[in-house]
Amino acid sequence: MSDTMAGGNRRIDQVLEAGFTDGLASLDTSEVRRRRDLARAELEYLSFLRRLLQGRRDLLRDEVDRRRTGGEAQPVVERVVSVMAEGSRGPSRGEAPMIPMPEDEIAMARRRVERLLSDARLSDLEALSDQELDDAAGNIEREEREVSDVRTRVIGVHDSLQEEMKRRLKAELGNPAS
């Protein structure tokens, strides 16, 4: 995720561009709303990507634990159900997605995760050597940390824009911000 480009055209480049939240008071409401919605869409994408990474990380951790404890292998479907039931996810803002994610972004997130570890290999974790399993887990964990770090920055941008929208709404309603 450290591949954001200053002056880039991608949504992430725009949202994390220096100055994206500067001078909000001088912008018209439609521009503040546009920027907030852009940040929100990027946040939804990053949250989805992070959930994909966490699910795969949890499957890999489950296999590491199984090997360490000498447990019996389960079919991948049962592992997925077990991992999902545990709910072992990282910190969350507890928000439901607000913007439907386009299919092309869902596909892009999946391709990004698949580059780290082919999903076909996840269907047969027993076939991975201990070293391959450790390498795969390390790759997924590094990527999840990077995505989480960028997501945190995007949350800050979104929150600044949202606060400006709230301030304006209060002013319109005759209750100037304190």
Side-chain angles (χ1 to χ4, degrees):
M1 285 301 310
S2 58
D3 58 347
T4 56
M5 297 180 296
N9 291 326
R10 296 173 308 163
R11 187 176 55 217
I12 188 67
D13 299 328
Q14 294 173 51
V15 170
L16 295 181
E17 180 77 33
F20 191 72
T21 58
D22 293 349
L24 293 178
S26 66
L27 298 175
D28 65 33
T29 299
S30 64
E31 178 60 15
V32 175
R33 184 177 294 117
R34 184 193 73 77
R35 290 181 186 197
R36 184 212 45 205
D37 292 348
L38 197 65
R40 184 65 191 184
E42 187 61 22
L43 180 56
E44 295 294 337
Y45 169 75
L46 291 169
S47 295
F48 178 73
L49 176 59
R50 185 169 164 246
R51 286 188 300 273
L52 287 176
L53 290 163
Q54 288 169 337
R56 280 143 180 92
R57 178 201 62 205
D58 292 348
L59 285 170
L60 293 168
R61 283 181 182 169
D62 183 65
E63 176 62 13
V64 168
D65 288 345
R66 184 197 68 77
R67 289 180 185 188
R68 188 181 64 239
T69 62
E72 192 170 320
Q74 296 176 311
V76 73
V77 173
E78 289 179 33
R79 286 178 184 225
V80 170
V81 170
S82 173
V83 164
M84 298 302 283
E86 290 174 16
S88 60
R89 296 291 177 258
S92 170
R93 290 170 45 116
E95 298 173 341
M98 296 177 66
I99 299 172
M101 191 173 317
E103 288 297 321
D104 62 329
E105 289 193 22
I106 291 171
M108 185 171 61
R110 287 186 174 140
R111 281 192 307 273
R112 183 172 174 169
V113 172
E114 288 167 0
R115 279 195 310 260
L116 296 170
L117 175 70
S118 169
D119 279 351
R121 296 189 70 184
L122 279 180
S123 65
D124 190 12
L125 292 175
E126 291 179 70
L128 295 175
S129 70
D130 289 347
Q131 185 61 54
E132 289 172 320
L133 188 60
D134 287 342
D135 290 347
N139 288 340
I140 293 287
E141 288 171 1
R142 275 189 297 284
E143 186 73 6
E144 194 273 334
R145 277 192 307 272
E146 287 181 26
V147 169
S148 291
D149 290 346
V150 171
R151 182 177 171 270
T152 297
R153 292 172 51 205
V154 171
I155 286 170
V157 169
H158 176 267
D159 289 353
S160 295
L161 294 158
Q162 185 65 18
E163 286 302 313
E164 177 62 18
M165 291 301 295
K166 285 190 226 176
R167 184 193 67 75
R168 289 174 186 221
L169 181 58
K170 286 179 184 178
E172 285 176 22
L173 296 174
N175 299 322
S178 310

